[in-house]
Structure formats: structure tokens, C-alpha cells
Amino acid sequence: MSDKVVIHTDGACSGNPGPGGWGAVLQYNGTVKELKGGAPLTTNNQMELTAAIEALSALKRACAVELHTDSQYVKDGLTKWIHGWKKNGWRTAAKKPVKNAELWMALDEAVKRHTIDWRWVKGHAGDEMNERADRLANEGMAPFKPKKRKPAEIVP
């Protein structure tokens, strides 16, 4: 696995739940690929997870990946919590069902063929690639946001 890909992901939501979007920037050997998408009714955490799933799923072969996320939920979920959830049949330590279990399962599947170095970055703090992923997430959300109506013009 000598191919190294740097990925920056982000999710966005207008209301929580509400319309949402996800974005990812993949960098490999001087090439940059941008991905984005959205959903009409979702949560920020679901979009954060979807961004990572979509980015990793876009890779055509096994890679060494440096994945940057501003979501502690995603990073800690994959590096700390998922092992216990799987052992407990996708239940938390409090025996409650894991929220977003379908997405966690999809992310667990997406990471299998890669070696991933998870990196947390503070969101909205000027990190260029995180800001780029955030813009993509907002673009992905845009088609699902209600259109603002112009006030009716009053004609005398």
C-alpha cells in the first residue's frame, strides 16, 4: 500500500435535523478531486459520516489515507467506540442502540481495505482544506434548502 491519499471531509446541516450536505476533497500525487452531495432531511452527524464513507468509497484501490475531519464524533467513533459497539451487537455501553448504526457499518466497511491515519482539525478555524470541504458540503445541501420567496410587489 504505497499510494497515499490525503482526504478532508465535512458535513453541514441547516437545522438539526434538516436539509444537509457533505463534502470531501481528495488529494493524490498533485491531483485534487472534489465530491459533494446532500439529503433533504438529515443530521449534521449523518452528513459527517457520509462524507467519510463517500470519500473512502471513491478510492479505486487500497491506499494509505490521511483523513482530516472536524468531527470528533467520526474520529472517536472509528478509533475508540466502534470496537465495543460491534462486540455488543451495535449497542452502546448503556445497552442502547447505536445512533446512525447503518452509517457506522458502512464506514466500517469502507475503511477495511485502507490504512487510515485519522486527523482531527478544528472546524471554521481557517484550515484551507477544511474550509474547502465545508464549502462543498454547503453546495451539496443547497438543492435541498427551501427557496426564499421574494415579497410580493405592491402595485399602486
Side-chain angles (χ1 to χ4, degrees), residues 15-111:
N16 202 16
W22 58 269
V25 181
L26 291 74
Q27 299 170 290
Y28 171 72
N29 201 23
T31 301
V32 177
K33 182 173 185 173
E34 295 181 341
L35 305 172
K36 64 184 174 185
L41 184 62
T42 188
T43 66
N44 190 68
N45 283 341
Q46 290 169 343
M47 292 293 92
E48 295 282 0
L49 285 163
T50 300
I53 293 164
E54 293 292 337
L56 292 169
S57 297
L59 301 176
K60 294 180 179 17
R61 61 183 175 274
C63 299
V65 176
E66 186 178 291
L67 197 148
H68 298 252
T69 177
D70 62 6
S71 172
Q72 288 282 10
Y73 176 70
V74 171
K75 181 180 177 291
D76 289 349
L78 245 296
T79 61
K80 297 177 183 177
W81 309 329
I82 199 166
H83 311 293
W85 294 338
K86 288 163 58 171
K87 184 177 158 189
N88 293 334
W90 293 97
R91 295 204 167 269
T92 66
K95 307 290 185 227
K96 294 184 179 179
V98 171
K99 289 183 182 176
N100 303 312
E102 321 76 40
L103 291 170
W104 284 113
M105 288 177 203
L107 185 54
D108 186 41
E109 189 62 32
V111 302

